Amino acid sequence: MAKYVTKGASETGAGLDHRLSTDGDIGWAPVNEHIRALMRTCWRLGDLPEYASLRLRAWAHTLGYRGHILTKSRAYSTTYAALRADRAAFRRDATQMVEGAVTKSSWRYVGSGYTPGAAQFATGIMEDLARNRECAREAMAELGWRE
């Protein structure tokens, strides 16, 4: 079931944001039939003794998945705690000026269009495209094809 939840919340509907009280709640859930079927499966399996430790009925609203769908694994990538700590350190350091850094507090318009070098590249590309079209027309004419 976790596969369906972790594939993407927007794709699957990811169940509901509140727990179900009875199996009748599944019929009224504002989800598509596929998600409803997965919820019913969790509800039915949750009643079986061999799955009691999974507490599937308590988590049927999330398709049996007890974790947070956006939780990052400690073994893969990074954790949210590490991201928060890095963000806090960045903000703390950003308040101190970095030696030799140049900062601008205002913007000004300096122009638009190509630089002289870029203009030469653009002109060359334009000429190459025109020549390619010309060659294609000539080849088509030689073969008796019409445009």
Side-chain angles (χ1 to χ4, degrees), residues 19-100:
R19 292 188 182 207
L20 303 170
S21 302
T22 66
D23 61 340
D25 293 344
I26 297 171
W28 295 101
V31 295
N32 63 41
E33 282 303 314
H34 178 69
I35 301 301
R36 195 170 282 121
L38 293 171
M39 289 174 155
R40 284 190 180 111
T41 301
C42 285
W43 195 266
R44 280 195 306 273
L45 291 173
D47 197 32
L48 299 175
E50 58 265 34
Y51 299 118
S53 65
L54 297 176
R55 299 184 56 233
L56 288 173
R57 281 198 172 181
W59 294 98
H61 66 292
T62 60
L63 314 181
Y65 185 68
R66 297 184 309 183
H68 190 281
I69 62 171
L70 297 177
T71 301
K72 291 184 178 277
S73 168
R74 285 182 175 89
Y76 179 79
S77 184
T78 187
T79 63
Y80 282 118
L83 291 174
R84 280 191 300 273
D86 288 347
R87 200 166 28 251
F90 176 79
R91 286 190 188 125
R92 190 173 46 254
D93 294 342
T95 59
Q96 302 168 0
M97 289 297 294
V98 177
E99 189 175 330

Side-chain angles (χ1 to χ4, degrees), residues 107-121:
W107 293 84
R108 65 183 176 87
Y109 178 77
V110 294
S112 62
Y114 293 119
T115 63
Q120 286 182 339
F121 281 121

